[in-house]
Each structure stands twice: as structure tokens, then as C-alpha cells.
Amino acid sequence: MLPWKTHSRKVVFDQSPWLVVEHHAVELPDGRVIPDWPWLTTPDYINVVAQTEAGEYLCFWQRKYGVPEPMLALVGGYLKPGEAPLAAAQRELREETGCVSEDWVDLGHFLVDPNRGVATGNLYLARQARRVCEIDSDDLEAQEMVLLSRAELEQALLDGKFKILAWAAAVA
């Protein structure tokens, strides 16, 4: 199977670091050329399923600008320039919950939309999370932390309470 070839790139919108839109001229393996293939660049991110020492799961009730109703959310955030995904996950867990963990499970690194660019989502499980400091989050959304049992977490997933694909995938 032959790869696509990129002939050129042109930035058409730049609101770095949150969004860059480009048009690429791409050649398909059969020789056809698409002159204005849209390409989006957004920051890579992490999401963390955090389980406490007591076996409960740390989640948040929150609202997002693009979703009209409240939803359950996981710990999450963008990677800083040059930051490794696990370091970002550890930083975000501490900032958003005041917790740390020494027991991390890598749940995978997934391309959000590989035909259009976008980002890589890095998913983790933090086990045995324990509170060590106050919350120091700079999130724009108002959040209410909740502790869920495994059964409650699974039911919330089945009930569609995690409305963001990466959150639902991490919980699943």
C-alpha cells in the first residue's frame, strides 16, 4: 500500500497554540491531486482515570462550551511544549485533584483524526491516588469533584454521562 504524498502546505488560520488550519496539496496513491486538503493542528492532550487508595474513582461534574448539559469528566489537559505525556498526566492529576500516584498504567496513545491532523490523546490510569495538597487548577470550566464506585463509574459510562469520546474510551 502506497502512502499519500504532501506537495505543499499553506497556513490559512493561526491561533497558536490552540488551533492552526492549513491547506495541503496531497497526491493520492493513484496519482490524483487534491489541492486544498484541510489540516488542523491542536495540542496533544492527556486524560487520566484516577482511582483512589479506597478504590473510588475521581471524576468531575462540569460543563463545556459546546455541550449544553452537565457531564462527567476525567482529569485532563494539554501537554506543555516539550512535556512528556506521563509528566503532563502527573501534573494535571496534582493540579486538578491535589492527588499524586506512584502506580501509573498507560492506556494508549490515540490519533484523534489522522486524516485531518488534530492531536494525539494520551490516556492513563492512576491507581492508589492520594491527596497531598490543595487543588491548583487553572481550568476554565467550573468543576465539582465526585467520587464514584466502580459500579457507579461503569453505569455512568453506560448511561452516556461521559460525553467526550476520549473520556468514554479511557473509562471503558
Side-chain angles (χ1 to χ4, degrees):
M1 211 177 295
L2 297 172
W4 294 23
K5 295 177 187 171
T6 304
H7 290 283
S8 65
R9 300 168 182 246
K10 178 183 175 188
V11 174
V12 295
F13 179 78
D14 187 341
Q15 194 174 8
S16 297
W18 309 113
L19 175 66
V20 176
V21 180
E22 298 177 349
H23 280 164
H24 291 190
V26 297
E27 181 181 337
L28 303 179
D30 66 7
R32 288 181 291 158
V33 174
I34 301 172
D36 57 358
W37 187 266
W39 190 261
L40 308 174
T41 303
T42 61
D44 292 344
Y45 64 88
I46 60 88
N47 286 123
V48 179
V49 178
Q51 184 185 37
T52 68
E53 293 173 312
E56 296 173 304
Y57 293 87
L58 294 166
C59 296
F60 302 98
W61 278 109
Q62 70 172 215
R63 288 183 179 267
K64 291 275 188 196
Y65 173 66
V67 182
E69 66 272 359
M71 67 186 110
L72 278 174
L74 298 177
V75 169
Y78 294 115
L79 277 68
K80 293 180 178 180
E83 186 176 34
L86 178 57
Q90 292 167 333
R91 174 182 52 77
E92 289 287 350
L93 179 65
R94 187 179 185 107
E95 289 175 0
E96 293 186 7
T97 68
C99 292
V100 297
S101 171
E102 282 79 42
D103 187 356
W104 289 85
V105 178
D106 185 334
L107 300 176
H109 311 273
F110 302 95
L111 300 172
V112 174
D113 186 355
N115 270 347
R116 302 282 183 234
V118 188
T120 297
N122 303 275
L123 309 180
Y124 292 93
L125 169 63
R127 295 187 286 210
Q128 301 294 314
R130 68 184 190 292
R131 187 87 182 258
V132 296
C133 63
E134 293 300 314
I135 294 171
D136 184 22
S137 176
D138 63 353
D139 284 348
L140 298 176
E141 303 90 6
Q143 305 186 124
E144 176 189 338
M145 193 177 343
V146 293
L147 294 170
L148 302 177
S149 68
R150 183 175 179 123
E152 290 169 328
L153 184 75
E154 291 173 353
Q155 191 61 52
L157 178 64
L158 293 172
D159 292 344
K161 300 296 184 189
F162 294 96
K163 305 222 177 276
I164 307 296
L165 178 60
W167 299 340
V171 170

